[in-house]
Amino acid sequence: MDKELRIIISGGGTGGHIFPAVSIANAVKAKRPDAKILFVGANGRMEMQRVPAAGYEIVGLPVRGLIRPLYSLKNFGVMMDFFKSKSQIKKVIREFNPQVAVGVGGYASAPTLNAAYSLGVPCLIQEQNSYAGVTNKSLAKKAQKICVAYDGMERFFPAERIMLTGNPVRQGLLNPDLKKAECAASFGMTTDKPIVLMIGGSLGARTLNESVLQNLDKIAAAPIQFVWQTGGYYSKSIQEKLKETGKPDNLYVTDFISKMDEAYCAADLVISRAGASSISELCLLGKPSILVPSPNVAEDHQTHNAMALVNRQAALLVKDEEAVEKLLPLAIETVVDTDKLASLGKNALEMAFKDSANIIADEVLKLAEK
């Protein structure tokens, strides 16, 4: 392609949408350093900070999600914002003149790809979950290529447009130079006892946090070490609670882990929500895990994600409503069972896609050339 390459990438709302979007952009830039990439996000959502931090320009739209129940009169304002967003992004697309538009799900994808399609711009969508989101399902007939991470997605999308690519994950997680002992030491841990890593996302997960707080006695008594990411939202209240109850010596507490590669390297077992990006990372690294799907997501897609692994004996599952009672005992039992850990890790690794971002970037470039 001789002419200047310009690509729009739209979506966000959560890290699960943003990480893949940035990974795709990075892969495109690695192949075409001259490419100009413009992101489109929703005003007030985390992509408006995360994308510029990754080195890319982003345009914000006033688009927002539908309010439950759907017959709420407040949705009249939501729809007005959608049409306003579509009008704004049409102007941006005409000025930027992209050869291809990429949607990764989230509020901003719908008006952006609808506008791009109406202006004749080829579209590609990337669906991270095993149960397709509303936005991507609505865009399926307008996309020339649909990149998915799970088998069986023809129940949501036209089969002839689907390509099984896996989910792009954060670059740098696969670091062959990391040593387990050094990574454990960075959390004040040693390698003579198993390490359980508990992560609930950057904001945290209330159920996972309560599962720890209500089982501090079990943690203190276990011959195991725990690294607990509480999330920024819950950090202050948890620190106050631990001052009252006392913090077990074998429990490392932090609001946010910036070096996730080191945390994964140190961990023998990971407790996590079942977001698509988290699951893709666990598979890529071959990490044994206990998944606790969030009940507060559209169409219960995290349970569908988790079951894709559970059905392959690649992870264990604890329901959110049972987590306070069952999660910590199961983790303590599992992390000392080396045969179980090895089996879970091996099966997870077999489900991994190791080059997703590059494969999707190649498809983006093919569409742009057409």
Side-chain angles (χ1 to χ4, degrees):
M1 184 189 297
D2 296 327
K3 62 182 179 179
E4 183 179 68
L5 176 61
R6 292 175 302 281
I7 298 168
I8 275 184
I9 300 179
S10 179
T14 66
H17 291 313
I18 298 166
F19 292 141
V22 171
S23 294
I24 293 168
N26 290 343
V28 168
K29 290 291 281 186
K31 295 172 184 292
R32 286 289 302 269
D34 62 314
K36 286 184 167 37
I37 299 176
L38 177 65
F39 278 76
V40 181
N43 288 331
R45 306 294 288 184
M46 67 168 65
E47 61 264 27
M48 301 307 294
Q49 286 76 44
R50 296 284 181 87
V51 169
Y56 295 100
E57 182 183 355
I58 187 168
V59 172
L61 300 177
V63 65
R64 51 200 172 103
L66 290 169
I67 297 166
R68 307 284 177 175
L70 294 179
Y71 55 77
S72 169
L73 291 177
K74 293 179 181 178
N75 280 324
F76 178 77
V78 173
M79 294 308 299
M80 292 300 294
D81 282 342
F82 175 84
F83 290 115
K84 183 178 179 181
S85 296
K86 189 174 177 181
S87 176
Q88 288 182 10
I89 197 59
K90 269 192 174 182
K91 181 180 179 182
V92 171
I93 291 171
R94 288 191 179 102
E95 292 175 353
F96 187 65
N97 194 24
Q99 284 94 10
V100 62
V102 178
V104 297
Y107 301 146
S109 277
T112 302
L113 266 70
N114 271 292
Y117 176 80
S118 71
L119 294 171
V121 179
C123 298
L124 176 149
I125 60 177
Q126 196 261 326
E127 174 57 58
Q128 297 97 35
N129 295 293
S130 62
Y131 196 94
V134 173
T135 297
N136 278 348
K137 283 191 287 188
S138 72
L139 294 170
K141 292 182 180 179
K142 299 173 182 178
Q144 279 86 343
K145 185 67 68 174
I146 303 167
C147 297
V148 301
Y150 295 91
D151 291 317
M153 298 301 286
E154 59 273 5
R155 66 192 193 277
F156 303 113
F157 304 127
E160 69 278 5
R161 301 182 192 179
I162 294 174
M163 183 174 184
L164 186 62
T165 62
N167 285 324
V169 300
R170 288 175 279 190
Q171 278 88 359
L173 288 179
L174 283 172
N175 186 345
D177 297 327
L178 292 178
K179 302 291 187 292
K180 183 178 173 69
E182 294 174 2
C183 293
S186 68
F187 297 98
M189 305 287 176
T190 62
T191 55
D192 61 342
K193 295 178 182 177
I195 297 174
V196 175
L197 170 66
M198 296 172 284
I199 48 177
S202 57
L203 295 178
R206 184 176 64 181
T207 300
L208 298 190
N209 290 340
E210 282 301 312
S211 299
V212 176
L213 289 173
Q214 296 191 35
N215 289 278
L216 290 173
D217 56 336
K218 292 183 176 66
I219 290 174
I224 296 162
Q225 303 166 103
F226 296 84
V227 176
W228 176 25
Q229 178 183 274
T230 64
Y233 184 81
Y234 299 98
S235 179
K236 184 177 179 181
S237 62
I238 286 172
Q239 292 295 343
E240 291 173 352
K241 181 71 174 178
L242 290 175
K243 284 180 182 178
E244 296 175 11
T245 61
K247 183 183 77 66
D249 292 337
N250 58 338
L251 177 64
Y252 176 93
V253 185
T254 181
D255 63 334
F256 181 72
I257 299 173
S258 58
K259 296 183 178 180
M260 278 304 301
D261 56 343
E262 294 184 1
Y264 279 134
C265 176
D268 297 288
L269 176 69
V270 179
I271 296 172
S272 174
R273 286 301 201 189
S277 288
S278 297
I279 283 182
S280 294
E281 291 175 356
L282 292 169
C283 289
L284 184 67
L285 297 167
K287 282 292 171 182
S289 63
I290 301 175
L291 302 173
V292 186
S294 171
N296 306 312
V297 294
E299 296 164 309
D300 197 26
H301 68 254
Q302 286 203 6
T303 296
H304 293 279
N305 292 347
M307 289 308 300
L309 271 69
V310 172
N311 290 336
R312 297 269 296 269
Q313 290 79 52
L316 304 178
L317 182 146
V318 172
K319 294 180 180 179
D320 186 85
E321 65 267 24
E322 298 176 347
V324 171
E325 176 188 355
K326 296 182 178 180
L327 181 58
L328 264 296
L330 179 61
I332 292 168
E333 173 190 330
T334 303
V335 78
V336 296
D337 186 340
T338 55
D339 290 340
K340 184 69 172 178
L341 292 180
S343 176
L344 290 170
K346 175 178 176 291
N347 293 338
L349 191 60
E350 289 176 354
M351 296 183 67
F353 291 87
K354 292 183 169 59
D355 206 25
S356 299
N358 280 320
I359 294 169
I360 296 170
D362 284 337
E363 294 305 309
V364 172
L365 294 176
K366 288 177 187 176
L367 284 179
E369 288 169 1
K370 291 180 182 178

